[in-house]
């Protein structure tokens, strides 16, 4: 396994700056998740690292070796795509063995068998090895696709939304398995997704990408608790953070340049006695397993906020309440965080 360094990497397509001066260092053994909306430049970044795309500027090093000009086959990376790309005429066994039979790195059949069986076991498809690849369920096919990356021990795994085409149950299952396998192998992983749950549960560190630029890098907790901007704050957390005009809470102390208040649902407390400030009316409640999400509208405004309330409390529509804010976050007119 190896570390990865991107130094001021750019790739433009005409007017579109798909990747724009990206600096990124990923340590050996790290599970790094690039998180961003559609068009943020996630796939282009992976393709640049794999060598499927040439940068307009910048350098890429894997394991301390400059690879910017190297052909994809010589970079020692394994790529898992969003859509499983299996050889339909081959069995599961032969699909898994395929990368090990590459003329560039030929291996004896005995060694190939051992490796294929080991990976099949890891991915819980050892009973499917003789089957044709086309006779598998979607989840099994994606396991084979991931297995084809795992049979090799490349310097780096690159994964482009490998779970996005699976149903929710399988996605949850494979998310946990992939994380476990990555830890067992001590693999270096660059994983792309727009799914915040994947990012929060799998990543050692997350890089939030927006319009080809990294807007924040940190552990899931750092990014959740200390977002650098309103954009980052809104990307992580379910329910989404409440963002509202600072003027709607005039009684709250705020830094002078604050334009927007951000407050997470779990940092709001509801009180039944209404006070002189932050009064609101309950609009509706959603029951989750151990808590309610209470939607309230601030008095004198149409602005609604979502509050995570303990499951034993119950609120009726139109009930008058007041809000206590535990950890308000402040953002300037440009969306950047302002520390109080
Ligand atoms: P998604 O989640 O939808 O896959 P992404 O974050 O992976 O999005 P990219 O596929 O990297 O985004 O695309 C970034 C930008 O570059 C987009 O605006 C896209 O249209 C553009 N782009 C990517 N590849 C090409 C190409 N070959 N030619 C022209 N424009 C491209």
């Amino acid at each position: 396994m190896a570390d990865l360094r991107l130094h001021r990497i750019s790739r433009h397509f005409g007017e579109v700056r798909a990747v724009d001066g990206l600096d990124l260092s990923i340590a050996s053994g790290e599970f790094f998740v690039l998180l961003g909306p559609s068009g943020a430049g996630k796939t282009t970044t992976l393709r640049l690292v794999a060598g499927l795309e040439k940068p307009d500027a910048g350098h890429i090093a894997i394991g301390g070796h400059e690879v910017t000009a190297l052909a994809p086959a010589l970079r020692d990376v394994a790529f898992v795509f969003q859509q499983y790309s299996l050889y339909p005429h081959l069995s599961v066994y032969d699909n898994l063995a395929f990368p090990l039979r590459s003329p560039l790195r030929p291996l004896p059949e005995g060694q190939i068998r051992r490796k294929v069986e080991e990976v099949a076991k890891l991915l819980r498809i050892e009973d499917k090895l003789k089957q044709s690849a086309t006779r598998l369920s979607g989840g099994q096919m994606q396991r084979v696709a991931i297995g084809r990356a795992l049979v090799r021990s490349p310097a780096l795994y690159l994964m482009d939304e490998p779970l996005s085409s699976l149903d929710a149950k399988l996605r949850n299952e494979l998310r946990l398995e992939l994380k476990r396998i990555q830890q067992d192998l001590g693999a270096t992983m660059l994983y792309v997704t727009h799914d915040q749950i994947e990012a929060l549960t799998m990543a050692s560190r997350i890089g939030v990408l927006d319009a080809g630029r990294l807007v924040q890098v940190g552990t899931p907790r750092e990014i959740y608790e200390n977002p650098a901007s309103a954009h980052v704050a809104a990307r992580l957390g379910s329910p989404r953070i409440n963002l509202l005009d600072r003027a709607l809470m005039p009684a709250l102390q705020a830094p002078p340049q604050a334009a927007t208040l951000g407050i997470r649902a779990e940092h709001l407390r509801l009180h039944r006695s209404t006070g002189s400030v932050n009064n609101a009316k309950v609009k509706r409640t959603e029951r989750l397993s151990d808590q309610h999400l209470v939607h309230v509208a601030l008095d004198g405004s149409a602005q609604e906020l979502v509050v995570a309330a303990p499951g034993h409390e119950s609120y009726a529509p139109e009930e008058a309440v007041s809000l206590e804010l535990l950890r308000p976050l402040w953002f300037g007119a440009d969306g950047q965080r302002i520390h109080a």
Side-chain angles (χ1 to χ4, degrees):
M1 290 303 139
D3 64 341
L4 169 69
R5 278 176 202 283
L6 303 186
H7 182 66
R8 302 216 177 143
I9 283 288
S10 291
R11 179 71 172 106
H12 300 171
F13 297 104
E15 295 291 292
V16 179
R17 298 172 169 217
V19 175
D20 196 14
L22 205 67
D23 273 315
L24 178 63
S25 285
I26 301 178
S28 180
E30 201 173 9
F31 198 127
F32 193 94
V33 174
L34 268 184
L35 177 71
S38 184
K42 305 181 298 294
T43 298
T44 306
T45 304
L46 282 191
R47 289 174 55 82
L48 285 161
V49 175
L52 301 172
E53 203 75 67
K54 282 243 176 309
D56 299 319
H59 296 276
I60 302 173
I62 297 175
H65 300 290
E66 166 90 25
V67 299
T68 320
L70 223 53
L74 300 174
R75 294 193 183 199
D76 197 20
V77 300
F79 205 134
V80 179
F81 297 91
Q82 192 169 351
Q83 287 302 330
Y84 21 85
S85 45
L86 303 183
Y87 298 106
H89 57 287
L90 296 183
S91 67
V92 169
Y93 181 95
D94 286 329
N95 264 283
L96 288 172
F98 196 87
L100 302 176
R101 293 179 176 145
S102 143
L104 272 177
R105 311 181 192 82
L107 280 180
E109 273 303 313
Q111 216 168 317
I112 291 178
R113 172 163 295 280
R114 270 199 303 283
K115 195 69 205 173
V116 167
E117 284 172 354
E118 181 191 321
V119 165
K121 201 164 163 208
L122 213 57
L123 286 165
R124 308 201 168 113
I125 44 173
E126 65 266 49
D127 56 336
K128 302 280 184 291
L129 287 173
K130 291 199 180 108
Q131 266 188 32
S132 145
T134 48
R135 294 188 46 219
L136 299 173
S137 70
Q140 290 162 348
M141 282 195 204
Q142 194 60 328
R143 276 167 206 256
V144 178
I146 292 169
R148 291 207 324 185
L150 298 182
V151 288
R152 294 183 33 216
S153 303
L156 190 64
Y157 291 105
L158 304 171
M159 299 207 179
D160 192 358
E161 310 222 22
L163 309 183
S164 63
S165 57
L166 306 178
D167 67 40
K169 183 170 171 290
L170 263 172
R171 212 162 46 226
N172 289 349
E173 246 177 68
L174 265 183
R175 205 167 63 212
L176 295 174
E177 278 177 39
L178 254 186
K179 177 74 188 168
R180 173 183 56 82
I181 290 167
Q182 179 268 340
Q183 283 174 331
D184 287 355
L185 299 175
T188 312
M189 177 84 83
L190 177 53
Y191 186 104
V192 153
T193 186
H194 64 267
D195 180 336
Q196 52 147 336
I197 307 280
E198 282 182 19
L200 284 170
T201 53
M202 297 169 102
S204 332
R205 282 190 307 152
I206 297 173
V208 182
L209 201 62
D210 185 34
R213 289 169 173 265
L214 269 179
V215 289
Q216 190 170 4
V217 175
T219 63
R221 187 168 172 182
E222 278 163 5
I223 292 190
Y224 184 80
E225 291 185 355
N226 257 320
S229 66
H231 167 87
V232 172
R235 283 222 66 82
L236 286 183
S238 177
R240 225 168 108 108
I241 190 168
N242 298 290
L243 291 170
L244 59 153
D245 193 328
R246 186 265 171 281
L248 291 174
M249 294 256 172
L252 210 60
Q253 226 185 358
Q257 320 87 322
T260 304
L261 160 68
I263 181 89
R264 295 207 183 271
E266 68 271 25
H267 296 148
L268 281 166
R269 295 276 176 280
L270 289 179
H271 296 285
R272 288 186 194 279
S273 55
T274 50
S276 57
V277 293
N278 304 342
N279 293 326
K281 272 210 173 47
V282 173
K283 288 293 165 194
R284 61 196 168 90
T285 61
E286 287 174 69
R287 196 170 229 320
L288 303 180
S289 54
D290 59 343
Q291 60 179 16
H292 293 295
L293 293 183
V294 186
H295 297 250
V296 303
L298 280 176
D299 283 359
S301 130
Q303 175 85 46
E304 282 199 15
L305 288 93
V306 182
V307 182
H312 63 268
E313 292 179 5
S314 64
Y315 295 90
E318 296 307 311
E319 195 175 337
V321 288
S322 69
L323 292 166
E324 182 189 357
L325 285 76
L326 301 183
R327 293 192 47 199
L329 303 173
W330 299 105
F331 303 99
D334 58 357
Q336 293 303 305
R337 177 83 178 279
I338 298 173
H339 289 273

